[in-house]
Amino acid sequence: MALGAVAEPPVRRRGSDYAQLSRRITQAGLLERRPGWYVARIVLTLGAFVAGWVAVFLLGDSWWQLPLAAVMAVATTQVAFLGHDAGHRQMFRRRGPSEMVGLFAGNLAVGLSYGWWVDKHNRHHANPNHEDEDPDVGAGALVWTPEQALETRGFGRWLAQRQAFLFFPMLLLEGLNLHVASIRAIVGREPDGRYSTPMRHRAVEGLLLVMHTVGYVALLLAVMSPVKALLFAVVHQALWGLYMGCSFAPNHKGMPMPTAEDELDFLRKQVLTSRNVRGSRLVDTALGGLNYQIEHHLFPNMPRANLRRAQPIVRAYCAEQGIPYAETGLFESYRQALGHLHEVGRPLRG
């Protein structure tokens, strides 16, 4: 999708546009921390997570464990959302407490490297949807531009031709992919011996990932047969990956992809590449606040609970500046994302 198709002509005081919006948000008190809200959220989320594992233990060697695995996939994703908020310091201003929550939620509870995710996610926020700078749109199992599609070969080309139809089935493998990427980030090195991924607490992260894996396997094998344990793990990890992918897919996929030639200020770079998802507070909870993607990208450290209140301010300001503000329903967001994936693969089908 060409960026120039949606960008509006420059306006006066372009360089100060974001500063003006930031003042409005600050005056509304929306960057203030919400410790009470987060205490309640952490207690409820971790309480449900722990209660779920207690239920797994008490249920024992039963086929009812498989529906429970689906429930645990939801609980696991909600814990991962806490790690996301901690990584953006939405809970605490200080790095120490934020990292403590992130390491507990990510490495120990979910089995996802917090340090790897923070590094990758910060690069995404700095240049969203930029093919050369955003790791989320680099060529991989999926391709995001016709140029990436034309560079595929063999099985990768077969996938690229059909990626819109295979997108959701492929998300069933995303959980496994996240675990593998976490391990590679901790142990991976460059040819000169340097670690490939910068990480502040590499040894701690490695230890917590080992504790997670050993505890996960030991609990399942202690309460159910090996076959049921394997099936529980498959259902749990597949649906966790699907839920994670469905939470992040509506945010940028199918939105403009800026290139080195596009000179955009911070405000336009974040707004033009992001898409909001309309919905009730149930949608807010289900998507971890990521449905307010525009507001989140403009103010990454804004507490999740304030994003809904910030939205009308940001939307009105974008209207004043003549900046397109993308907002749609959940299913329409998936349609647009899949439409983009299908269009990208068109040169290979021609």
Side-chain angles (χ1 to χ4, degrees), residues 71-83:
V71 174
M72 288 309 301
V74 176
T76 301
T77 306
Q78 289 294 323
V79 172
F81 288 153
L82 292 179

Side-chain angles (χ1 to χ4, degrees), residues 37 41 44-45 48 73-82 85 243 247 277-292 304-305 307-308 330:
W37 188 91
R41 177 65 61 178
L44 289 173
T45 303
V74 176
T76 301
T77 306
Q78 289 294 323
V79 172
F81 288 153
L82 292 179
D85 293 3
Y243 188 180
S247 300
V277 175
R278 288 191 295 267
S280 64
R281 292 188 183 275
L282 178 61
V283 174
D284 295 359
T285 300
L287 297 183
L290 297 176
N291 47 314
Y292 301 109
R304 191 196 313 178
L307 292 170
R308 175 176 278 267
L330 181 61

